[in-house]
Amino acid sequence: MRRKRSSTSLKRLLLAAAIGVIAALWTWVRPGNGIWFEPDQGVEASLLDNGFHTDLALPRAALEARGGPLAQAVRSLPPGDWILIGWGDAKFYVDQSPIHHRLPDGARAFFRPGNASVVMLDPAQADPRRIFAPEGREDFRLSDESFRALAARIEASLDLGSGAPRVAAARAGDDARFFASRETFSIGHLCNHWTADLLNAAGLPIRPFQSITSAEVMASVRRGGRDRTELDRGARRD
């Protein structure tokens, strides 16, 4: 009887510990570095949400002026004043066939570790703030320092093994180019995790485990905007 009670107590203790660890990871916040928003100056940017996937929109001129491999990749694109930037599985992300035909490949991308990935650079001639609905968009300005940090994080994702960014895929009739990435895709590192990592590199606090959803990434930007507004108000009062 004592052994049975001890075994039951141990199982309950282990279950409670496991729940505590999961709760801690789920609510864990990776802090930013305080250089996030510039309300009245800096580089304009937008975060775009289609309901399950997030992209960033950044000015082409700013990316090209920075120089380096990312600028080289941007210069190779067709015309467009804005660049939509995303990341995903090298096959599933590029394929645009009906989703019901791609479910087995989606399962492969999610559950098989170490899948090859690509960085999408898609030139857009129209300002994204005019063509994307407000409910699927968060607009903000990056300080020059945070923009450089964000661009460096994008660049770090590119596979530069051949000495320069390499186009891994393109779609007929589509200006988007998909550049080979050195990162791997799986359920532990999805497209929204990647976008959240970029924003964190720029200085935005994020909740890494909750960033599995596009809604959480959008909420992180909204929280960052509110935090910066409160900081500025406090500074003015002082």
Side-chain angles (χ1 to χ4, degrees), residues 67-98:
L70 178 58
Q72 181 182 353
V74 170
R75 291 190 190 104
S76 72
L77 300 173
D81 292 336
W82 290 82
I83 306 298
L84 308 187
I85 302 172
W87 177 86
D89 179 78
K91 182 180 178 184
F92 186 80
Y93 184 37
V94 177
D95 190 357
Q96 288 190 317
S97 60

Side-chain angles (χ1 to χ4, degrees), residues 233-238:
R233 286 175 180 169
R236 285 196 294 269
R237 286 196 297 266
D238 293 343

Side-chain angles (χ1 to χ4, degrees), residues 16-211:
I19 292 173
V21 169
I22 292 170
L25 290 173
W26 186 250
T27 57
W28 170 49
V29 176
R30 187 191 298 164
N33 56 15
I35 59 171
W36 172 240
F37 277 116
E38 286 290 349
D40 301 316
Q41 56 185 346
V43 179
E44 294 178 310
S46 294
L47 178 66
L48 311 174
D49 176 16
N50 69 4
F52 63 93
H53 171 88
T54 48
D55 289 327
L56 279 169
L58 296 172
R60 183 179 196 141
L63 291 167
E64 291 188 356
R66 177 180 170 274
L70 178 58
Q72 181 182 353
V74 170
R75 291 190 190 104
S76 72
L77 300 173
D81 292 336
W82 290 82
I83 306 298
L84 308 187
I85 302 172
W87 177 86
D89 179 78
K91 182 180 178 184
F92 186 80
Y93 184 37
V94 177
D95 190 357
Q96 288 190 317
S97 60
I99 188 65
H100 62 277
H101 292 316
R102 297 190 288 138
L103 292 178
D105 190 51
R108 183 271 311 162
F110 266 61
F111 298 113
R112 192 184 77 179
N115 297 291
S117 66
V118 289
V119 176
M120 182 197 75
L121 300 178
D122 185 6
Q125 296 191 23
D127 188 327
R129 292 167 295 186
R130 296 183 178 179
I131 59 177
F132 290 92
E135 58 268 23
R137 192 188 78 239
E138 287 293 332
D139 305 320
F140 51 94
R141 286 179 179 266
L142 296 163
S143 69
D144 291 338
E145 186 178 356
S146 60
F147 170 74
R148 289 193 296 269
L150 184 147
R153 176 62 183 83
I154 298 170
E155 191 170 82
S157 186
L158 295 172
D159 180 356
L160 303 177
S162 62
R166 174 174 58 86
V167 174
R171 295 188 292 230
D174 191 331
D175 287 343
R177 298 293 181 267
F178 297 85
F179 291 83
S181 172
R182 55 178 290 274
E183 300 183 61
T184 57
F185 186 95
S186 71
I187 195 169
H189 186 44
L190 298 174
C191 55
N192 296 317
H193 292 133
W194 187 81
T195 305
D197 282 347
L198 302 189
L199 296 170
N200 185 242
L204 179 70
I206 63 167
R207 295 185 291 205
F209 280 80
Q210 294 188 42
S211 294

